[in-house]
Amino acid sequence: MLGGCIAQLPTQRAAQPNATTAQSKPQAQPVTPKCQGLPKRKVLVTAFPMRYPEQIKSGEFMGWAQVTGEELKRAIEGKGRLLASSAAYRFPFASADKAPALEQDQGGVLISRWAAQENAQYVIAGVIHDFGVSKLKGVIPERQMHVEAYLYEAHSTTLLARQSFTRQLPFGGIPKSVAPGTSEFAASRLGETFNSLIDEMALWADDTLTCLPFSVSVTRVDERRLSLDRGSDAGITVGMALQSWRPGSAPPARHPSVPATAKPQPTAIIKHVEGKTSIAEIPPQRFPPTVRVGDVLFLADTDGRNKP
């Protein structure tokens, strides 16, 4: 559909993602994740700044950065497999063209601090690379929607995944009297197209996040007793095993006196659960692990649920 397009605005198209990033298709069918199940991961969704804000004309709705984050959070929650919170008025990048490099402040990465405030394990941010109008075959005005989303691990701020989402809308004007989030907008052609893009992004978040390791943070250490920042609200139950190494990675090196055939012991076992917190205990052992406040532990991968 893009053949013969002539840009009307003095903006260049965003650089294409690397080979690991696939372009989305409006009619693509979602893939059911192999590892869905409790506990639910929690993701924080930030604003999606526009790379070319001049593509929006005077008098038209300008809050696309915020509404993209808000609607994506709402769509993720609506699917019921993830917990989500919104930071739709917070911008994670120094500028849109710096993405996916994250902005730092006072020696730390902003999204890590925001995620800690919301008890979120992962962060979704992104950039609206294109929202302008070109002419299909030089004749038909067509609005281009190109959004790129990034998924980060909140504690380490590692970029785990990225994906581009695109839509084209012939005669895609922006109604000046209709605001996103309203029933009138949802019923408009622009609203239908924009909301379908948001829904595809939410499906991508579901399929990606439900297969990632479930982490908890240590908030207090009292000898072998550990206080954790998640509880029954997140699906934590008594008896769950925690480990200090990320599922799929190698466990810590054995001590010289530990037989090579010995199975690594879990770092801790959940003993008591409340709504938003839980208590775990380090099992008695000759060489107990060292756990400090702020450490991240992972649910033991005993059933393959963390494996994509």
Side-chain angles (χ1 to χ4, degrees), residues 3 7 9-11 62 69 96-97 100 103 159 167 173 177 180 188 247 254 268 303:
L9 294 173
T11 58
M62 300 291 292
D97 61 339
E103 185 175 6
L159 177 62
R167 293 290 189 277
S177 60
S188 69
R254 302 176 187 277
D303 59 2

Side-chain angles (χ1 to χ4, degrees), residues 182-206:
T182 64
S183 57
E184 292 81 4
F185 177 78
S188 69
R189 293 176 60 252
L190 176 63
E192 290 177 352
T193 304
F194 177 77
N195 289 341
S196 73
L197 183 146
I198 293 294
D199 189 63
E200 187 182 358
M201 293 173 67
L203 287 172
W204 168 76
D206 263 11

Side-chain angles (χ1 to χ4, degrees), residues 86-260:
S86 174
Y89 288 84
R90 290 179 167 179
F91 291 80
F93 316 113
S95 61
D97 61 339
K98 301 291 185 182
L102 295 164
E103 185 175 6
Q104 298 193 18
D105 179 61
Q106 298 179 353
V109 181
L110 290 175
I111 67 162
S112 184
R113 188 181 311 153
W114 302 339
Q117 293 169 352
E118 297 291 335
N119 286 330
Q121 300 154 304
Y122 298 95
V123 177
I124 291 179
V127 170
I128 301 174
H129 283 295
D130 194 1
F131 207 75
V133 175
S134 60
K135 283 192 174 180
L136 179 63
K137 297 183 178 180
V139 178
I140 302 174
E142 182 180 67
R143 184 166 300 278
Q144 309 294 324
M145 299 183 190
H146 173 200
V147 179
E148 188 172 19
Y150 312 109
L151 173 63
Y152 302 89
E153 199 280 324
H155 184 75
S156 67
T157 67
T158 301
L159 177 62
L160 301 175
R162 60 192 295 176
Q163 180 80 351
S164 281
F165 304 87
T166 61
R167 293 290 189 277
Q168 294 79 37
L169 178 63
F171 305 102
I174 299 178
K176 293 187 178 183
S177 60
V178 177
T182 64
S183 57
E184 292 81 4
F185 177 78
S188 69
R189 293 176 60 252
L190 176 63
E192 290 177 352
T193 304
F194 177 77
N195 289 341
S196 73
L197 183 146
I198 293 294
D199 189 63
E200 187 182 358
M201 293 173 67
L203 287 172
W204 168 76
D206 263 11
D207 291 350
T208 305
L209 276 167
T210 52
C211 292
L212 293 179
F214 187 94
S215 63
V216 298
S217 293
V218 178
T219 59
R220 182 177 177 181
V221 177
D222 185 8
E223 296 184 348
R224 294 192 299 112
R225 193 175 177 89
L226 310 177
S227 298
L228 309 173
D229 68 343
R230 302 192 192 281
S232 59
D233 289 355
I236 298 293
T237 58
V238 171
M240 285 182 168
L242 300 167
Q243 59 193 39
S244 58
W245 61 96
R246 189 181 183 91
S249 63
R254 302 176 187 277
H255 291 274
S257 61
V258 177

Side-chain angles (χ1 to χ4, degrees), residues 257-272:
S257 61
V258 177
T261 57
K263 183 179 179 180
Q265 289 197 54
T267 303
I269 304 293
I270 300 292
K271 296 295 184 180
H272 176 75

Side-chain angles (χ1 to χ4, degrees), residues 47-60:
F48 278 61
M50 299 190 74
R51 189 166 185 185
Y52 303 110
E54 64 270 22
Q55 290 179 325
I56 306 301
K57 297 178 182 179
S58 177
E60 295 179 335

